[in-house]
Amino acid sequence: MTEVISLQNVSKLIGNKQIIENASFTVEQGQVVGLLGPNGAGKTTIIRMIVGLMKHNKGSITIMGNPLETSFKAAIASVGAIVENPEFYNYLTGYENLMQYQRMAKTKMTATEMDDLIHQVHLEGHINQKVKTYSLGMRQRLGVAQALIHRPKLLVLDEPMNGLDPKGMREFREMILMLREQGVSVLVSSHQLSDIEQIADHLIVVQKGKVTHQVTMASLKSGKNVLIIKTDNDDEALNVLKANFHLDVLRLSDELQISLETDNRSEIAATLVNAGIGLKEMKVQQSSLEETFLAWTEEGGL
């Protein structure tokens, strides 16, 4: 597949504070990639660096083979973006707003192509209304249309579903999936995990300015189980498990959680008992995306 964007060891330092540290990931053609992380994790900073609103101090960002640092115009020509909230001329109609952006684009759309774009974002029934009458969902969809006018290879969206009602969220998801079918790559940041779960092919998790996890959605939906263990000495149990098994063990306040690739519960239990650790409880549960995300972003992480 064609690599649309690549970040390699990108860092951002503001004053003496490390905002982003050695962030690396790629997005390929036709992929929807969810950029996840708690508030303040660094998602918006990463997006701002990708679209050129903020410079990085170290590393490289390449878009369609063009380094952002040395070939900015060529790189950014392949990007459409909504960072925070889209802005419009409220006294103009949706169509008039799009025509204003059309005039600034190097690639012009025919009237038929403009109609297709309007249909694509589900605004055909409202496009001739003034934007000041638009709901938040309609404004977001008009923002996507605005970002697509120059036919970008990559669409970058920063928290696009904030404040949308259920109908608006569903329509937005449908629009993103349609874009994927047309070969457009989408990088979308969000803390709305349920929405990301329904549209993303890949997940990138950011925690305290670092990319901590990169996984496919398929791997999360494959039924991976989590073993919950409660003992009379969780600290010692953690040490024993790390010494005897190659496992991802998460230490929470009153339990240990282990991501199970294979069902080796009996071996784990025997090892703990032989080490003199009392088992209070052991159970298996299938983790949802939300549970997995919360575990990944828990203090200390995996």
Side-chain angles (χ1 to χ4, degrees):
M1 296 178 69
T2 302
E3 190 176 89
V4 174
I5 183 170
S6 173
L7 275 71
Q8 296 297 325
N9 299 315
V10 171
S11 295
K12 178 63 180 178
L13 190 70
I14 299 180
N16 294 321
K17 187 174 182 181
Q18 190 78 51
I19 307 299
I20 302 295
E21 183 176 353
N22 294 326
S24 297
F25 62 83
T26 61
V27 178
E28 296 183 341
Q29 182 180 0
Q31 285 184 341
V32 177
V33 177
L35 187 64
L36 296 176
N39 291 332
K43 303 185 302 296
T44 297
T45 299
I46 290 174
I47 283 177
R48 284 180 171 273
M49 290 190 292
I50 289 172
V51 301
L53 294 176
M54 183 180 289
K55 290 186 177 180
H56 51 284
N57 302 112
K58 190 181 78 171
S60 65
I61 300 174
T62 304
I63 303 172
M64 295 302 296
N66 299 298
L68 195 66
E69 303 87 351
T70 58
S71 303
F72 179 81
K73 287 186 177 180
I76 212 67
S78 298
V79 180
I82 300 178
V83 181
E84 296 177 349
N85 298 314
E87 296 293 337
F88 306 104
Y89 299 104
N90 288 325
Y91 59 89
L92 298 179
T93 67
Y95 191 86
E96 289 168 339
N97 270 275
L98 291 181
M99 292 306 297
Q100 290 291 341
Y101 287 102
Q102 158 98 311
R103 293 185 183 101
M104 293 186 284
K106 287 186 177 181
T107 305
K108 305 301 180 183
M109 283 189 167
T110 66
T112 300
E113 289 171 333
M114 183 66 79
D115 288 342
D116 289 342
L117 176 62
I118 292 166
H119 174 73
Q120 191 173 17
V121 297
H122 305 298
L123 277 177
E124 54 266 46
H126 308 279
I127 198 64
N128 291 313
Q129 297 175 13
K130 290 188 176 182
V131 170
K132 65 182 179 182
T133 67
Y134 278 20
S135 66
L136 177 59
M138 291 161 62
R139 293 177 68 91
Q140 290 289 71
R141 283 180 275 142
L142 184 62
V144 172
Q146 165 193 315
L148 292 174
I149 276 182
H150 63 293
R151 301 184 184 89
K153 301 293 185 182
L154 174 68
L155 180 63
V156 180
L157 304 172
D158 184 23
E159 300 281 1
M161 289 173 277
N162 273 357
L164 296 185
D165 59 23
K167 181 175 182 291
M169 293 168 76
R170 185 190 66 215
E171 290 177 344
F172 202 90
R173 290 195 301 266
E174 291 172 348
M175 180 178 59
I176 297 301
L177 294 175
M178 185 184 301
L179 290 172
R180 180 179 65 182
E181 291 176 1
Q182 296 173 359
V184 177
S185 303
V186 182
L187 177 64
V188 51
S189 78
S190 181
H191 60 272
Q192 299 286 351
L193 302 180
S194 59
D195 291 308
I196 292 296
E197 185 175 12
Q198 295 179 61
I199 61 175
D201 305 299
H202 292 254
L203 298 179
I204 298 166
V205 179
V206 182
Q207 172 77 339
K208 295 182 179 179
K210 297 181 180 180
V211 174
T212 57
H213 295 82
Q214 298 188 55
V215 296
T216 65
M217 185 62 70
S219 69
L220 288 183
K221 293 182 176 180
S222 63
K224 187 175 181 180
N225 292 326
V226 174
L227 178 63
I228 308 297
I229 299 176
K230 295 184 179 182
T231 74
D232 58 7
N233 189 340
D234 286 349
D235 289 331
E236 182 60 26
L238 179 62
N239 293 332
V240 169
L241 291 172
K242 287 186 174 180
N244 289 275
F245 301 94
H246 295 292
L247 298 169
D248 287 328
V249 184
L250 177 65
R251 171 74 159 91
L252 300 181
S253 58
D254 61 346
E255 66 184 34
L256 302 175
Q257 293 187 3
I258 301 172
S259 298
L260 288 181
E261 299 292 344
T262 58
D263 190 355
N264 55 350
R265 284 174 288 174
S266 58
E267 186 180 355
I268 290 172
T271 301
L272 292 173
V273 171
N274 289 337
I277 297 170
L279 280 176
K280 294 181 179 179
E281 184 178 351
M282 179 181 281
K283 63 181 180 180
V284 174
Q285 67 180 30
Q286 184 171 331
S287 60
S288 66
L289 173 59
E290 183 175 23
E291 290 166 342
T292 303
F293 172 73
L294 292 174
W296 282 344
T297 55
E298 186 77 20
E299 186 69 31
L302 281 176

